[in-house]
Amino acid sequence: MSAEALLDEARRELRRVTPAELEHLENALLVDIRPRHNRAAEGEIPGSVAVERIVLEWRLDPNGDHRIPGFDADTTVVVLCNEGYASSLAARDLQRVGLPHATDLVGGFRAYAAAGLPVRPGASEAVT
């Protein structure tokens, strides 16, 4: 299966969120999986939590011993990357570990920033 086919398959399982919709979501956990250098150069979305992609499933398994605080299986988790590709695959994986409302941000951080929505200086420490 090609990468494009994997992406299409993952997106069929998601109700993706646009930057405009993100602004109105309440009680959602926003997870930034971008590398530190991208967050440092471009900024971060206020309220987002940076989580290294390599530990994402462990830190967001709602029943896991290594999970971060502040969410449960009913929480809407919105994953974002640079442009909304890797985040679709990551959100699909989070659904598989017990977060049925996991999704991603259409167009990623760059679409959010281009829409003129609030950005804070980046490079916060990521959860590892």
Side-chain angles (χ1 to χ4, degrees), residues 42-56:
E42 300 176 75
E44 298 172 334
I45 297 175
S48 64
V49 177
V51 178
E52 296 284 343
R53 177 63 185 97
I54 195 166
V55 298
L56 184 68

Side-chain angles (χ1 to χ4, degrees), residues 22-105:
L22 181 64
E23 208 177 18
H24 303 291
L25 275 182
E26 293 184 21
N27 302 318
L29 175 63
L30 183 58
V31 178
D32 191 336
I33 62 169
R34 294 177 301 144
R36 180 180 175 85
H37 69 273
N38 289 118
R39 293 183 286 107
E42 300 176 75
E44 298 172 334
I45 297 175
S48 64
V49 177
V51 178
E52 296 284 343
R53 177 63 185 97
I54 195 166
V55 298
L56 184 68
E57 290 83 358
W58 284 267
R59 298 300 182 248
L60 278 98
D61 177 347
N63 299 304
D65 293 336
H66 304 289
R67 70 192 276 282
I68 60 174
F71 74 99
D72 61 31
D74 293 324
T75 301
T76 297
V77 176
V78 181
V79 182
L80 71 108
C81 63
N82 288 329
E83 296 178 339
Y85 295 97
S87 59
S88 293
L89 299 172
R92 185 261 337 257
D93 291 346
L94 290 177
Q95 287 184 349
R96 291 178 176 174
V97 298
L99 293 169
H101 306 293
T103 190
D104 76 322
L105 182 62

Side-chain angles (χ1 to χ4, degrees), residues 1-12 85 89:
M1 182 178 285
S2 70
E4 287 296 322
L6 279 172
L7 183 63
D8 290 342
E9 181 182 271
R11 286 180 173 168
R12 281 193 295 273
Y85 295 97
L89 299 172

